[in-house]
PDB file of all heavy atoms in Angstrom:
ATOM      1  N   GLY Y 292     210.145 183.492 198.875  1.00  0.00           N
ATOM      2  CA  GLY Y 292     211.034 182.561 198.195  1.00  0.00           C
ATOM      3  C   GLY Y 292     212.278 183.113 197.560  1.00  0.00           C
ATOM      4  O   GLY Y 292     213.011 182.529 196.784  1.00  0.00           O
ATOM      5  N   ALA Y 293     212.703 184.261 198.133  1.00  0.00           N
ATOM      6  CA  ALA Y 293     213.890 184.972 197.581  1.00  0.00           C
ATOM      7  C   ALA Y 293     215.111 184.266 198.087  1.00  0.00           C
ATOM      8  O   ALA Y 293     215.204 183.866 199.291  1.00  0.00           O
ATOM      9  CB  ALA Y 293     214.028 186.433 198.184  1.00  0.00           C
ATOM     10  N   GLU Y 294     216.154 184.192 197.344  1.00  0.00           N
ATOM     11  CA  GLU Y 294     217.362 183.460 197.614  1.00  0.00           C
ATOM     12  C   GLU Y 294     218.299 184.483 198.325  1.00  0.00           C
ATOM     13  O   GLU Y 294     218.236 185.668 198.301  1.00  0.00           O
ATOM     14  CB  GLU Y 294     218.064 182.917 196.348  1.00  0.00           C
ATOM     15  CG  GLU Y 294     217.173 181.778 195.760  1.00  0.00           C
ATOM     16  CD  GLU Y 294     217.947 181.261 194.587  1.00  0.00           C
ATOM     17  OE1 GLU Y 294     219.065 181.710 194.242  1.00  0.00           O
ATOM     18  OE2 GLU Y 294     217.245 180.357 193.824  1.00  0.00           O
ATOM     19  N   GLY Y 295     219.178 183.970 199.152  1.00  0.00           N
ATOM     20  CA  GLY Y 295     220.274 184.747 199.767  1.00  0.00           C
ATOM     21  C   GLY Y 295     219.865 185.442 201.059  1.00  0.00           C
ATOM     22  O   GLY Y 295     220.626 186.186 201.594  1.00  0.00           O
ATOM     23  N   LEU Y 296     218.640 185.262 201.537  1.00  0.00           N
ATOM     24  CA  LEU Y 296     218.264 185.752 202.827  1.00  0.00           C
ATOM     25  C   LEU Y 296     218.503 184.890 203.970  1.00  0.00           C
ATOM     26  O   LEU Y 296     218.319 183.562 203.952  1.00  0.00           O
ATOM     27  CB  LEU Y 296     216.721 185.978 202.736  1.00  0.00           C
ATOM     28  CG  LEU Y 296     216.235 187.161 201.814  1.00  0.00           C
ATOM     29  CD1 LEU Y 296     214.712 187.161 201.720  1.00  0.00           C
ATOM     30  CD2 LEU Y 296     216.620 188.499 202.105  1.00  0.00           C
ATOM     31  N   THR Y 297     218.886 185.469 205.021  1.00  0.00           N
ATOM     32  CA  THR Y 297     219.107 184.669 206.310  1.00  0.00           C
ATOM     33  C   THR Y 297     217.773 184.284 206.988  1.00  0.00           C
ATOM     34  O   THR Y 297     216.841 185.037 206.574  1.00  0.00           O
ATOM     35  CB  THR Y 297     220.028 185.404 207.355  1.00  0.00           C
ATOM     36  OG1 THR Y 297     219.308 186.575 207.802  1.00  0.00           O
ATOM     37  CG2 THR Y 297     221.341 185.843 206.543  1.00  0.00           C
ATOM     38  N   ASP Y 298     217.811 183.377 207.915  1.00  0.00           N
ATOM     39  CA  ASP Y 298     216.574 182.995 208.496  1.00  0.00           C
ATOM     40  C   ASP Y 298     216.050 184.284 209.471  1.00  0.00           C
ATOM     41  O   ASP Y 298     214.892 184.651 209.494  1.00  0.00           O
ATOM     42  CB  ASP Y 298     216.811 181.908 209.545  1.00  0.00           C
ATOM     43  CG  ASP Y 298     217.093 180.529 208.852  1.00  0.00           C
ATOM     44  OD1 ASP Y 298     216.887 180.582 207.656  1.00  0.00           O
ATOM     45  OD2 ASP Y 298     217.386 179.661 209.475  1.00  0.00           O
ATOM     46  N   GLU Y 299     217.083 185.048 209.919  1.00  0.00           N
ATOM     47  CA  GLU Y 299     216.732 186.127 210.777  1.00  0.00           C
ATOM     48  C   GLU Y 299     215.992 187.250 209.793  1.00  0.00           C
ATOM     49  O   GLU Y 299     215.077 187.809 210.257  1.00  0.00           O
ATOM     50  CB  GLU Y 299     217.915 186.807 211.347  1.00  0.00           C
ATOM     51  CG  GLU Y 299     217.790 187.919 212.258  1.00  0.00           C
ATOM     52  CD  GLU Y 299     218.961 188.560 212.910  1.00  0.00           C
ATOM     53  OE1 GLU Y 299     220.133 188.089 212.556  1.00  0.00           O
ATOM     54  OE2 GLU Y 299     218.948 189.464 213.724  1.00  0.00           O
ATOM     55  N   GLN Y 300     216.563 187.386 208.614  1.00  0.00           N
ATOM     56  CA  GLN Y 300     215.963 188.375 207.690  1.00  0.00           C
ATOM     57  C   GLN Y 300     214.480 188.108 207.387  1.00  0.00           C
ATOM     58  O   GLN Y 300     213.712 188.885 207.249  1.00  0.00           O
ATOM     59  CB  GLN Y 300     216.855 188.634 206.465  1.00  0.00           C
ATOM     60  CG  GLN Y 300     218.171 189.367 206.658  1.00  0.00           C
ATOM     61  CD  GLN Y 300     219.033 189.334 205.527  1.00  0.00           C
ATOM     62  OE1 GLN Y 300     219.047 188.337 204.787  1.00  0.00           O
ATOM     63  NE2 GLN Y 300     219.743 190.413 205.268  1.00  0.00           N
ATOM     64  N   GLN Y 301     214.255 186.763 207.036  1.00  0.00           N
ATOM     65  CA  GLN Y 301     213.002 186.324 206.616  1.00  0.00           C
ATOM     66  C   GLN Y 301     211.930 186.501 207.903  1.00  0.00           C
ATOM     67  O   GLN Y 301     210.906 186.921 207.748  1.00  0.00           O
ATOM     68  CB  GLN Y 301     212.986 184.931 206.222  1.00  0.00           C
ATOM     69  CG  GLN Y 301     213.835 184.530 205.037  1.00  0.00           C
ATOM     70  CD  GLN Y 301     213.378 183.401 204.177  1.00  0.00           C
ATOM     71  OE1 GLN Y 301     212.147 183.331 203.835  1.00  0.00           O
ATOM     72  NE2 GLN Y 301     214.350 182.592 203.796  1.00  0.00           N
ATOM     73  N   LEU Y 302     212.501 186.157 209.044  1.00  0.00           N
ATOM     74  CA  LEU Y 302     211.621 186.331 210.136  1.00  0.00           C
ATOM     75  C   LEU Y 302     211.278 187.861 210.431  1.00  0.00           C
ATOM     76  O   LEU Y 302     210.139 188.239 210.928  1.00  0.00           O
ATOM     77  CB  LEU Y 302     212.110 185.709 211.412  1.00  0.00           C
ATOM     78  CG  LEU Y 302     211.972 184.316 211.600  1.00  0.00           C
ATOM     79  CD1 LEU Y 302     212.788 183.742 212.793  1.00  0.00           C
ATOM     80  CD2 LEU Y 302     210.640 183.904 211.713  1.00  0.00           C
ATOM     81  N   GLU Y 303     212.359 188.589 210.268  1.00  0.00           N
ATOM     82  CA  GLU Y 303     212.171 190.205 210.525  1.00  0.00           C
ATOM     83  C   GLU Y 303     211.106 190.667 209.463  1.00  0.00           C
ATOM     84  O   GLU Y 303     210.318 191.582 209.845  1.00  0.00           O
ATOM     85  CB  GLU Y 303     213.492 190.834 210.354  1.00  0.00           C
ATOM     86  CG  GLU Y 303     213.334 192.400 210.546  1.00  0.00           C
ATOM     87  CD  GLU Y 303     214.750 192.986 210.340  1.00  0.00           C
ATOM     88  OE1 GLU Y 303     215.781 192.293 209.967  1.00  0.00           O
ATOM     89  OE2 GLU Y 303     214.927 194.194 210.804  1.00  0.00           O
ATOM     90  N   MET Y 304     211.154 190.214 208.297  1.00  0.00           N
ATOM     91  CA  MET Y 304     210.252 190.638 207.281  1.00  0.00           C
ATOM     92  C   MET Y 304     208.785 190.171 207.576  1.00  0.00           C
ATOM     93  O   MET Y 304     207.741 190.861 207.594  1.00  0.00           O
ATOM     94  CB  MET Y 304     210.512 190.090 205.873  1.00  0.00           C
ATOM     95  CG  MET Y 304     211.708 190.774 205.136  1.00  0.00           C
ATOM     96  SD  MET Y 304     211.840 190.050 203.436  1.00  0.00           S
ATOM     97  CE  MET Y 304     211.860 188.286 203.570  1.00  0.00           C
ATOM     98  N   TRP Y 305     208.706 188.986 208.136  1.00  0.00           N
ATOM     99  CA  TRP Y 305     207.403 188.357 208.486  1.00  0.00           C
ATOM    100  C   TRP Y 305     206.745 189.103 209.462  1.00  0.00           C
ATOM    101  O   TRP Y 305     205.537 189.481 209.521  1.00  0.00           O
ATOM    102  CB  TRP Y 305     207.499 186.870 208.814  1.00  0.00           C
ATOM    103  CG  TRP Y 305     206.399 186.172 209.265  1.00  0.00           C
ATOM    104  CD1 TRP Y 305     205.890 185.855 210.452  1.00  0.00           C
ATOM    105  CD2 TRP Y 305     205.283 185.792 208.366  1.00  0.00           C
ATOM    106  NE1 TRP Y 305     204.721 185.225 210.542  1.00  0.00           N
ATOM    107  CE2 TRP Y 305     204.371 185.114 209.117  1.00  0.00           C
ATOM    108  CE3 TRP Y 305     204.997 185.810 207.033  1.00  0.00           C
ATOM    109  CZ2 TRP Y 305     203.146 184.563 208.657  1.00  0.00           C
ATOM    110  CZ3 TRP Y 305     203.900 185.286 206.526  1.00  0.00           C
ATOM    111  CH2 TRP Y 305     202.917 184.604 207.277  1.00  0.00           C
ATOM    112  N   GLU Y 306     207.494 189.399 210.532  1.00  0.00           N
ATOM    113  CA  GLU Y 306     207.028 190.137 211.684  1.00  0.00           C
ATOM    114  C   GLU Y 306     206.681 191.574 211.363  1.00  0.00           C
ATOM    115  O   GLU Y 306     205.776 192.235 211.972  1.00  0.00           O
ATOM    116  CB  GLU Y 306     207.988 190.177 212.896  1.00  0.00           C
ATOM    117  CG  GLU Y 306     208.313 188.726 213.506  1.00  0.00           C
ATOM    118  CD  GLU Y 306     209.350 188.677 214.507  1.00  0.00           C
ATOM    119  OE1 GLU Y 306     210.067 189.686 214.745  1.00  0.00           O
ATOM    120  OE2 GLU Y 306     209.565 187.579 215.023  1.00  0.00           O
ATOM    121  N   SER Y 307     207.332 192.164 210.444  1.00  0.00           N
ATOM    122  CA  SER Y 307     207.056 193.526 210.009  1.00  0.00           C
ATOM    123  C   SER Y 307     205.660 193.758 209.460  1.00  0.00           C
ATOM    124  O   SER Y 307     205.163 194.915 209.409  1.00  0.00           O
ATOM    125  CB  SER Y 307     208.088 194.160 209.051  1.00  0.00           C
ATOM    126  OG  SER Y 307     207.992 193.579 207.847  1.00  0.00           O
ATOM    127  N   ILE Y 308     204.989 192.725 208.893  1.00  0.00           N
ATOM    128  CA  ILE Y 308     203.819 192.772 208.192  1.00  0.00           C
ATOM    129  C   ILE Y 308     202.636 192.274 209.101  1.00  0.00           C
ATOM    130  O   ILE Y 308     201.482 192.374 208.516  1.00  0.00           O
ATOM    131  CB  ILE Y 308     203.846 192.049 206.882  1.00  0.00           C
ATOM    132  CG1 ILE Y 308     204.052 190.493 207.090  1.00  0.00           C
ATOM    133  CG2 ILE Y 308     204.722 192.591 205.927  1.00  0.00           C
ATOM    134  CD1 ILE Y 308     203.923 189.655 205.791  1.00  0.00           C
ATOM    135  N   TYR Y 309     202.959 191.978 210.317  1.00  0.00           N
ATOM    136  CA  TYR Y 309     201.972 191.563 211.257  1.00  0.00           C
ATOM    137  C   TYR Y 309     200.874 192.659 211.610  1.00  0.00           C
ATOM    138  O   TYR Y 309     201.462 193.783 211.867  1.00  0.00           O
ATOM    139  CB  TYR Y 309     202.539 190.989 212.403  1.00  0.00           C
ATOM    140  CG  TYR Y 309     201.521 190.583 213.587  1.00  0.00           C
ATOM    141  CD1 TYR Y 309     200.598 189.463 213.461  1.00  0.00           C
ATOM    142  CD2 TYR Y 309     201.357 191.405 214.675  1.00  0.00           C
ATOM    143  CE1 TYR Y 309     199.684 189.136 214.378  1.00  0.00           C
ATOM    144  CE2 TYR Y 309     200.438 191.045 215.683  1.00  0.00           C
ATOM    145  CZ  TYR Y 309     199.677 189.972 215.563  1.00  0.00           C
ATOM    146  OH  TYR Y 309     198.646 189.675 216.445  1.00  0.00           O
ATOM    147  N   ILE Y 310     199.679 192.546 211.675  1.00  0.00           N
ATOM    148  CA  ILE Y 310     198.818 193.501 212.076  1.00  0.00           C
ATOM    149  C   ILE Y 310     197.926 193.049 213.247  1.00  0.00           C
ATOM    150  O   ILE Y 310     197.194 191.924 213.165  1.00  0.00           O
ATOM    151  CB  ILE Y 310     197.859 193.918 210.857  1.00  0.00           C
ATOM    152  CG1 ILE Y 310     198.525 194.324 209.686  1.00  0.00           C
ATOM    153  CG2 ILE Y 310     196.787 195.053 211.376  1.00  0.00           C
ATOM    154  CD1 ILE Y 310     197.594 194.617 208.470  1.00  0.00           C
ATOM    155  N   GLU Y 311     198.068 193.610 214.309  1.00  0.00           N
ATOM    156  CA  GLU Y 311     197.481 193.198 215.578  1.00  0.00           C
ATOM    157  C   GLU Y 311     195.972 193.569 215.545  1.00  0.00           C
ATOM    158  O   GLU Y 311     195.618 194.631 215.037  1.00  0.00           O
ATOM    159  CB  GLU Y 311     198.070 193.766 216.805  1.00  0.00           C
ATOM    160  CG  GLU Y 311     197.609 193.334 218.095  1.00  0.00           C
ATOM    161  CD  GLU Y 311     198.439 193.827 219.291  1.00  0.00           C
ATOM    162  OE1 GLU Y 311     199.227 194.625 219.059  1.00  0.00           O
ATOM    163  OE2 GLU Y 311     198.159 193.450 220.488  1.00  0.00           O
ATOM    164  N   GLY Y 312     195.170 192.868 216.277  1.00  0.00           N
ATOM    165  CA  GLY Y 312     193.728 193.240 216.595  1.00  0.00           C
ATOM    166  C   GLY Y 312     192.696 192.590 215.672  1.00  0.00           C
ATOM    167  O   GLY Y 312     193.006 191.756 214.754  1.00  0.00           O
ATOM    168  N   THR Y 313     191.512 192.885 216.018  1.00  0.00           N
ATOM    169  CA  THR Y 313     190.403 192.369 215.284  1.00  0.00           C
ATOM    170  C   THR Y 313     189.429 193.388 214.843  1.00  0.00           C
ATOM    171  O   THR Y 313     189.487 194.412 215.380  1.00  0.00           O
ATOM    172  CB  THR Y 313     189.598 191.323 215.995  1.00  0.00           C
ATOM    173  OG1 THR Y 313     188.953 191.902 217.320  1.00  0.00           O
ATOM    174  CG2 THR Y 313     190.404 190.110 216.489  1.00  0.00           C
ATOM    175  N   ARG Y 314     188.494 193.176 213.947  1.00  0.00           N
ATOM    176  CA  ARG Y 314     187.487 193.992 213.466  1.00  0.00           C
ATOM    177  C   ARG Y 314     186.110 193.308 213.216  1.00  0.00           C
ATOM    178  O   ARG Y 314     186.169 192.103 213.081  1.00  0.00           O
ATOM    179  CB  ARG Y 314     187.815 194.919 212.338  1.00  0.00           C
ATOM    180  CG  ARG Y 314     187.995 194.040 211.045  1.00  0.00           C
ATOM    181  CD  ARG Y 314     188.460 194.927 209.822  1.00  0.00           C
ATOM    182  NE  ARG Y 314     188.623 194.035 208.730  1.00  0.00           N
ATOM    183  CZ  ARG Y 314     187.699 193.759 207.799  1.00  0.00           C
ATOM    184  NH1 ARG Y 314     186.407 194.196 208.078  1.00  0.00           N
ATOM    185  NH2 ARG Y 314     187.907 193.048 206.777  1.00  0.00           N
ATOM    186  N   THR Y 315     185.054 194.078 213.187  1.00  0.00           N
ATOM    187  CA  THR Y 315     183.879 193.386 212.829  1.00  0.00           C
ATOM    188  C   THR Y 315     183.420 193.738 211.479  1.00  0.00           C
ATOM    189  O   THR Y 315     183.363 194.850 210.907  1.00  0.00           O
ATOM    190  CB  THR Y 315     182.738 194.010 213.777  1.00  0.00           C
ATOM    191  OG1 THR Y 315     183.093 193.770 215.186  1.00  0.00           O
ATOM    192  CG2 THR Y 315     181.358 193.279 213.545  1.00  0.00           C
ATOM    193  N   ASN Y 316     183.249 192.607 210.745  1.00  0.00           N
ATOM    194  CA  ASN Y 316     182.872 192.854 209.228  1.00  0.00           C
ATOM    195  C   ASN Y 316     181.376 193.133 209.080  1.00  0.00           C
ATOM    196  O   ASN Y 316     180.701 193.225 210.082  1.00  0.00           O
ATOM    197  CB  ASN Y 316     183.153 191.520 208.523  1.00  0.00           C
ATOM    198  CG  ASN Y 316     182.384 190.278 208.923  1.00  0.00           C
ATOM    199  OD1 ASN Y 316     181.436 190.377 209.599  1.00  0.00           O
ATOM    200  ND2 ASN Y 316     182.721 189.024 208.550  1.00  0.00           N
ATOM    201  N   GLU Y 317     180.925 193.288 207.776  1.00  0.00           N
ATOM    202  CA  GLU Y 317     179.613 193.701 207.587  1.00  0.00           C
ATOM    203  C   GLU Y 317     178.550 192.726 208.075  1.00  0.00           C
ATOM    204  O   GLU Y 317     177.411 193.103 208.311  1.00  0.00           O
ATOM    205  CB  GLU Y 317     179.412 194.002 206.139  1.00  0.00           C
ATOM    206  CG  GLU Y 317     180.314 195.146 205.528  1.00  0.00           C
ATOM    207  CD  GLU Y 317     180.070 195.352 204.071  1.00  0.00           C
ATOM    208  OE1 GLU Y 317     179.324 194.681 203.410  1.00  0.00           O
ATOM    209  OE2 GLU Y 317     180.739 196.376 203.526  1.00  0.00           O
ATOM    210  N   ALA Y 318     178.948 191.464 208.095  1.00  0.00           N
ATOM    211  CA  ALA Y 318     177.944 190.479 208.706  1.00  0.00           C
ATOM    212  C   ALA Y 318     177.863 190.345 210.243  1.00  0.00           C
ATOM    213  O   ALA Y 318     177.297 189.602 210.685  1.00  0.00           O
ATOM    214  CB  ALA Y 318     178.456 189.091 208.189  1.00  0.00           C
TER     215      ALA Y 318
END
């Protein structure tokens, strides 16, 4: 919710935190 960010900057931040793949949990 930060002000002053462009749409491109927000999408860039969003894509930077994406983690690909899956794992098997304890169950």
Side-chain angles (χ1 to χ4, degrees):
E294 298 179 0
L296 293 173
T297 66
D298 292 353
E299 182 180 7
Q300 287 172 324
Q301 296 210 51
L302 282 172
E303 185 178 8
M304 287 191 304
W305 181 254
E306 292 172 357
S307 77
I308 60 175
Y309 173 73
I310 304 173
E311 186 177 4
T313 60
R314 64 180 179 86
T315 303
N316 64 11
E317 295 180 356

